[in-house]
Amino acid sequence: NAGVTQTPKFRVLKTGQSMTLLCAQDMNHEYMYWYRQDPGMGLRLIHYSVGEGTTAKGEVPDGYNVSRLKKQNFLLGLESAAPSQTSVYFCASSLDGSGRDTFGSGTRLTVV
Amino acid sequence: EDKVVQSPLSLVVHEGDTVTLNCSYEVTNFRSLLWYKQEKKAPTFLFMLTSSGIEKKSGRLSSILDKKELSSILNITATQTGDSAIYLCAVCLGSNYQLIWGAGTKLIIKP
């Protein structure tokens, strides 16, 4: 049982480049989330999904897009990366949106 | 604006000490309060506290929710070096099930 798997684990981008982060869960969870974690600021919600085919904006959605075409996958896209998007990105999922989330191991993204 | 504030931001104690971590919140629609432990990578779930379950305990860790004071504490007794981590507090909103996170308390346990 893999839980929540994020790929890639590390990435360096140049300003203006695009990329997609992939999150996959094998627990049949309905809810999925993308967070960013910056030093001293805790976790901030970027986008989330309450089920296959649905997405919604979180606290800091600007510069990011998401898609959830299949229940088990939640993709986070950066169309034109900026240095302000340098961060650690976490994907999480939960069965019922209760807050008891299972997290992936994170993606460390650096934009230069 | 919904917010969650944790204190202290960092804490250094010796093995065997007891520590108390604090979390206070101001939110418009409270559903539950959660504690997570973050070591090197992913946060892992510790406790969930709701209006119907204001105290939880697991081994040396325990947590209490004070709905009147809009706060919670996480206690760790007989600390061990393996307790060194960042402890995160989050509040789940009833309106949209989103979590609002505190900045965390970095706990260091010295041998």
Side-chain angles (χ1 to χ4, degrees):
Chain A
N1 191 342
V4 178
T5 302
Q6 288 183 235
T7 54
K9 295 190 186 311
F10 303 94
R11 185 73 186 267
V12 177
L13 283 180
K14 293 182 178 179
T15 297
Q17 286 185 320
S18 63
M19 77 164 294
T20 300
L21 282 67
L22 173 62
C23 177
Q25 53 95 2
D26 61 1
M27 298 171 286
N28 203 34
H29 282 175
E30 291 292 337
Y31 292 73
M32 296 188 74
Y33 310 87
W34 275 108
Y35 291 98
R36 59 179 289 172
Q37 187 174 36
D38 301 295
M41 298 189 72
L43 289 157
R44 290 184 292 169
L45 183 64
I46 304 171
H47 287 280
Y48 65 103
S49 169
V50 300
E52 180 178 310
T54 75
T55 63
K57 294 180 179 180
E59 182 184 356
V60 288
D62 294 342
Y64 306 94
N65 56 75
V66 289
S67 65
R68 191 155 177 214
L69 299 178
K70 293 183 178 181
K71 186 176 184 178
Q72 62 268 33
N73 296 335
F74 195 30
L75 278 63
L76 177 71
L78 285 73
E79 293 181 343
S80 179
S84 61
Q85 294 177 305
T86 293
S87 188
V88 179
Y89 291 85
F90 285 101
C91 176
S93 71
S94 75
L95 183 63
D96 54 7
S98 64
R100 294 189 61 161
D101 295 348
T102 300
F103 280 79
S105 58
T107 296
R108 184 173 293 276
L109 175 67
T110 302
V111 182
V112 297
Chain B
E1 180 183 353
D2 298 321
K3 64 178 180 180
V4 174
V5 178
Q6 292 186 244
S7 63
L9 292 181
S10 64
L11 185 59
V12 181
V13 301
H14 286 96
E15 207 168 14
D17 289 349
T18 293
V19 298
T20 299
L21 309 183
N22 300 285
C23 176
S24 63
Y25 59 91
E26 291 181 32
V27 300
T28 51
N29 191 341
F30 176 90
R31 183 168 188 246
S32 61
L33 185 144
L34 302 106
W35 285 97
Y36 280 79
K37 178 182 181 182
Q38 185 175 23
E39 296 177 88
K40 291 185 178 179
K41 292 184 177 179
T44 54
F45 172 81
L46 293 175
F47 297 119
M48 181 170 71
L49 302 158
T50 66
S51 298
S52 58
I54 62 171
E55 186 168 358
K56 293 288 177 72
K57 183 177 173 63
S58 176
R60 297 177 294 103
L61 277 67
S62 63
S63 183
I64 297 173
L65 174 67
D66 187 334
K67 285 214 71 181
K68 184 177 179 182
E69 296 296 326
L70 304 185
S71 65
S72 175
I73 59 171
L74 176 68
N75 280 323
I76 308 175
T77 61
T79 53
Q80 303 170 357
T81 54
D83 295 327
S84 294
I86 297 173
Y87 289 84
L88 298 167
C89 173
V91 170
C92 185
L93 302 180
S95 53
N96 55 17
Y97 297 90
Q98 290 186 30
L99 294 182
I100 307 298
W101 296 81
T105 293
K106 184 174 183 178
L107 177 63
I108 297 173
I109 311 295
K110 288 189 171 182

